[in-house]
Amino acid sequence: MQKTWLLLLGLLMLRTSVEAQITITNYVFPVVGDTLHYAVDTMPSGIVMTAPGFGLEWDMSNLQPGYTWEEVYLDGATGADTASFPGATLRHKVDTSEMEVYLSSSSQNVAVMGYAPGSPYVLGLGIATQFNPDWIDRRAPMNFFDINADAVSYFHPFGKQLLPTFIITGTNPDSFRIRGSISSISSVDAFGTLKMPDTTYNVLRKKVVTYEERRLDGKIPPLGWLDVTDLARQYLNLDLGVDTTYTYHFMSDSSKEEIAICTTDKGALQVVRVQYKYVKPAPSTGIKTADLKMPSLSVFPNPAFDALNIRAEVQSGAAFSIKIFSIVGQEVWHKMPEGTSGILDEAVDISGLENGLYLLRVSSSQGETGQALFMKE
């Protein structure tokens, strides 16, 4: 009898804990006119994902913004690439780049229809990419224990002029096509409280494991379409093949921004990148040095091949950091130049970088910041 009562008490406590979890409704879905605020910490320290559970606590109060941006939602029917995405109701820019994502929305979900131009899924090339079917980005309602599987493919032909010289012995492809697939398994595996730099949120945590494969075909007369992925990787150093990523999404029922999106290493535990809801700190008395912008920052040539030149007007004697990030926010290069006499003039060897779009960010010890996009070819 005593064991039975203990079992019933345990089940009652479990039910009470589960019932305390929040539900994410479509209130958090973005609509035309919304502006969401995000930052990225590319070098988070000491953040490790916990095992699944309920009533958990996570502390990310020490996150530092490597860069920030505003995600402005516009009418999907008015974009430059609307014709490629019939039925789109929303669009917004991707991070600080010129790429746009097109979406469709309903009361049940928000789905990505594709990207344009220069989607990260098509090697940074200036072409639109359409997903088939649409990729579900948000669902409502979302509750603890929810599990979903999603899969999309994309298939896009383009002319050979969009790639550097491509030589296959005895052949000459007259066009190419990118053939890709993305699949994911997501599970809402935890809930609790998340401490951020601005405040503490009640959150649900969704773990997402994503598998993506990118292949490149060449149309070679008279043989037709042939897989040239291995050749492209060998001679053009293109980002092709299979990738697996692990992300943890922390969501609150009171915020349209996802509170934090943590990317982990291949072990799926150590966090290596955090995109998070950014609440700008209240300014102190006087000029806030962190808000100072460099009067000029230029990078050339653009597109660049083996070398990139950086030039900026800066405060004399200030210390600087120069960082280069991939289009998905991963830091791929950094340097700490010596103090300058008022002009920062650096030549950077980028021959080791893969072809594609990158963000360069310069920060000074005096609070000056500047950033610029460049293309590596």
Side-chain angles (χ1 to χ4, degrees):
M1 181 65 70
Q2 184 179 7
K3 291 183 178 179
T4 301
W5 278 107
L6 288 174
L7 177 60
L8 290 174
L9 179 61
L11 291 173
L12 179 61
M13 292 175 65
L14 175 61
R15 177 182 176 183
T16 301
S17 298
V18 171
E19 287 179 348
Q21 62 95 10
I22 62 174
T23 294
I24 306 300
T25 70
N26 59 17
Y27 164 80
V28 304
F29 288 179
V31 297
V32 174
D34 280 347
T35 299
L36 309 188
H37 302 269
Y38 285 109
V40 171
D41 189 333
T42 58
M43 294 184 293
S45 176
I47 302 177
V48 178
M49 286 296 97
T50 58
F54 50 86
L56 304 181
E57 296 181 356
W58 300 275
D59 188 350
M60 300 186 195
S61 57
N62 291 324
L63 290 174
Q64 298 294 322
Y67 62 94
T68 65
W69 79 94
E70 293 182 346
E71 201 169 86
V72 180
Y73 282 80
L74 306 172
D75 187 346
T78 61
D81 293 275
T82 294
S84 298
F85 305 99
T89 56
L90 296 169
R91 60 186 171 92
H92 69 82
K93 294 291 180 66
V94 177
D95 285 13
T96 54
S97 74
E98 291 303 310
M99 296 184 298
E100 281 194 318
V101 55
Y102 283 77
L103 310 103
S104 63
S105 60
S106 69
S107 60
Q108 290 79 38
N109 61 60
V110 177
V112 177
M113 302 179 71
Y115 296 79
S119 162
Y121 296 110
V122 287
L123 317 176
L125 301 175
I127 52 181
T129 299
Q130 300 158 313
F131 289 164
N132 182 30
D134 297 345
W135 178 265
I136 305 299
D137 182 56
R138 298 197 187 190
R139 288 181 168 90
M142 188 176 87
N143 292 291
F144 190 40
F145 294 131
D146 283 357
I147 298 176
N148 290 284
D150 294 286
V152 300
S153 62
Y154 51 89
F155 182 85
H156 195 103
F158 59 95
K160 63 181 180 180
Q161 70 276 9
L162 290 179
L163 284 181
T165 302
F166 192 96
I167 298 175
I168 303 176
T169 304
T171 64
N172 183 24
D174 59 20
S175 59
F176 294 91
R177 67 184 183 187
I178 293 166
R179 175 168 44 91
S181 61
I182 310 172
S183 62
S184 73
I185 299 175
S186 64
S187 58
V188 183
D189 67 352
F191 68 85
T193 57
L194 173 60
K195 188 176 182 181
M196 297 295 288
D198 61 307
T199 189
T200 299
Y201 297 88
N202 293 320
V203 294
L204 286 177
R205 185 184 74 175
K206 178 177 67 174
K207 179 182 178 180
V208 183
V209 183
T210 304
Y211 309 92
E212 179 178 0
E213 182 175 15
R214 296 175 296 273
R215 310 292 298 178
L216 183 67
D217 297 335
K219 190 174 184 180
I220 304 172
L223 302 176
W225 291 103
L226 297 178
D227 189 322
V228 294
T229 303
D230 293 339
L231 289 169
R233 295 179 66 182
Q234 180 179 355
Y235 294 107
L236 298 180
N237 198 29
L238 295 183
D239 183 18
L240 297 165
V242 181
D243 287 328
T244 303
T245 57
Y246 302 86
T247 54
Y248 292 81
H249 301 241
F250 293 82
M251 301 186 67
S252 167
D253 58 349
S254 63
S255 171
K256 292 196 174 188
E257 292 97 343
E258 294 187 70
I259 307 304
I261 304 173
C262 299
T263 302
T264 65
D265 59 12
K266 297 304 181 182
L269 294 176
Q270 183 68 46
V271 176
V272 297
R273 178 183 186 269
V274 182
Q275 174 185 316
Y276 63 98
K277 176 184 175 74
Y278 182 63
V279 179
K280 190 174 182 179
S284 58
T285 303
I287 298 176
K288 185 180 180 183
T289 57
D291 289 337
L292 294 176
K293 301 298 181 183
M294 292 180 179
S296 69
L297 171 65
S298 59
V299 295
F300 57 94
N302 193 3
F305 295 91
D306 295 330
L308 181 73
N309 297 299
I310 307 168
R311 185 167 296 169
E313 298 175 15
V314 295
Q315 294 188 32
S316 179
F320 291 87
S321 68
I322 304 175
K323 297 180 180 181
I324 296 176
F325 301 92
S326 72
I327 200 62
V328 295
Q330 180 181 9
E331 182 181 319
V332 296
W333 185 91
H334 73 272
K335 183 178 181 180
M336 301 285 290
E338 301 293 333
T340 69
S341 59
I343 296 293
L344 176 66
D345 197 350
E346 288 283 331
V348 178
D349 180 5
I350 60 171
S351 58
L353 298 182
E354 296 182 351
N355 293 354
L357 190 65
Y358 292 87
L359 173 73
L360 179 138
R361 184 177 179 86
V362 180
S363 302
S364 83
S365 58
Q366 304 301 316
E368 293 179 307
T369 62
Q371 60 187 32
L373 290 167
F374 71 92
M375 178 70 74
K376 163 67 166 62
E377 292 187 348

